[in-house]
Amino acid sequence: MPLVNNKVGDDCTVGTDKASADGKALVDSLIKVVACYRHLASCVGGCTDSLQLRDELRQTREKAQNLAVSICLHLTSHLRDKSLPEEQRKEMELLWVAFSSSLELLHVDMCKVFSMGDIFSLADSATLVQTGLQGGGSEVAARALSLPDLNQVQTPAPVAGLEIQERSNMEKEISQIDHMIDDMEMKVNVLRWMVEPQGPQYADPLSSTDSTSLALLSVDEEQPGHQPLCQRSHIFVLLLLFAVVLVAATLSVCVVFFS
């Protein structure tokens, strides 16, 4: 009888489970940071735009890029592994789709901030749009970056050429993200439309109230004797029109015979 080394199989299963858990944690962190960056990017060009906001954008952008590099290496190494079990491969492909989508959103928002920064310069505060908003996104950015308070971070004083240097650095970062997206598609061939969502988060979002309403509708359909109010009003209107037509026909006949 052949001997089966169950310990080796269990170790492999534990290793793949840990890899999936690590990948999911990294992707979740990236999604939060990208969402934070989008929130901050919406303030560029408004009355809350400031040098501190631009510095928060830079820190959030750096955090997202560091996470993206780690996730790319982690997922690429596992998806290119031919011995990866089928279930684990499906999970990795789901993480890959979430990661690539978040990276594309980050790229779009970075291009938006780059373009808005060209239109609205901090050197001329008169060009900023008075949106009426108050406060900034320091608290949101601090939570995304796991910092106690971004207000404690000393931002450099505005100097000549600071915006030009920032735009030059951002242009390079946009090019790096663009190159990373192209490189990902070359290394791993995951067709997004072939990846099926799994898990309870993708279940039918039918609430208890909606299900109760559907149940009441099904009961109404099963009971033909019970007619809604709108159907009763329609029947009344039809009967009234029929009575008017009947009276008109009777009067016309009387006019013909007695004339």
Side-chain angles (χ1 to χ4, degrees):
M1 180 178 180
L3 296 177
V4 179
N5 193 346
N6 294 326
K7 185 176 185 303
V8 175
D10 295 339
D11 292 341
C12 293
T13 304
V14 172
T16 52
D17 290 341
K18 184 178 184 303
S20 299
D22 293 342
K24 186 178 184 304
L26 289 172
V27 172
D28 289 342
S29 299
L30 178 64
I31 291 175
K32 293 178 181 178
V33 174
V34 171
C36 170
Y37 189 82
R38 168 156 290 197
H39 173 75
L40 296 175
S42 62
C43 300
V44 176
C47 56
T48 57
D49 194 0
S50 62
L51 190 65
Q52 180 180 353
L53 176 67
R54 302 295 177 91
D55 189 59
E56 292 169 358
L57 283 167
R58 179 187 57 79
Q59 295 182 56
T60 309
R61 190 167 60 246
E62 291 177 355
K63 177 72 172 180
Q65 292 179 78
N66 293 334
L67 285 172
V69 172
S70 301
I71 296 172
C72 185
L73 293 175
H74 180 80
L75 295 181
T76 301
S77 61
H78 287 84
L79 286 174
R80 299 184 70 178
D81 185 7
K82 301 299 183 181
S83 61
L84 189 68
E86 186 65 23
E87 292 297 326
Q88 300 296 333
R89 181 171 295 277
K90 290 182 180 180
E91 294 181 6
M92 290 293 181
E93 288 179 350
L94 285 172
L95 293 177
W96 182 267
V97 172
F99 165 57
S100 57
S101 301
S102 300
L103 199 60
E104 290 178 356
L105 288 176
L106 177 64
H107 183 267
V108 170
D109 290 335
M110 288 174 64
C111 295
K112 172 187 174 182
V113 172
F114 184 82
S115 300
M116 295 291 287
D118 189 20
I119 300 173
F120 301 97
S121 175
L122 294 178
D124 186 11
S125 59
T127 60
L128 300 180
V129 179
Q130 300 299 321
T131 59
L133 296 178
Q134 295 181 356
S138 300
E139 296 81 4
V140 178
R143 287 196 299 268
L145 299 176
S146 301
L147 295 177
D149 190 2
L150 277 181
N151 292 325
Q152 299 176 0
V153 180
Q154 298 295 329
T155 56
V159 295
L162 182 61
E163 287 185 300
I164 298 177
Q165 181 181 0
E166 180 69 18
R167 286 178 55 79
S168 178
N169 295 335
M170 192 172 182
E171 189 174 6
K172 295 178 181 178
E173 294 174 359
I174 291 175
S175 178
Q176 291 175 359
I177 295 294
D178 196 10
H179 177 72
M180 181 182 293
I181 294 175
D182 294 338
D183 190 52
M184 286 166 47
E185 295 178 353
M186 294 294 294
K187 289 183 177 179
V188 179
N189 185 20
V190 177
L191 303 179
R192 298 187 184 183
W193 55 88
M194 297 295 292
V195 178
E196 297 181 0
Q198 298 175 353
Q201 65 270 28
Y202 300 106
D204 187 10
L206 185 63
S207 62
S208 59
T209 305
D210 296 335
S211 60
T212 304
S213 302
L214 290 179
L216 292 176
L217 289 176
S218 62
V219 170
D220 292 339
E221 291 178 356
E222 293 176 358
Q223 296 178 357
H226 178 70
Q227 297 179 348
L229 182 60
C230 59
Q231 294 184 4
R232 295 177 183 175
S233 61
H234 291 166
I235 294 176
F236 177 75
V237 171
L238 291 176
L239 291 176
L240 183 61
L241 291 176
F242 179 75
V244 171
V245 172
L246 182 62
V247 171
T250 304
L251 290 176
S252 61
V253 171
C254 294
V255 169
V256 170
F257 279 100
F258 292 102
S259 59

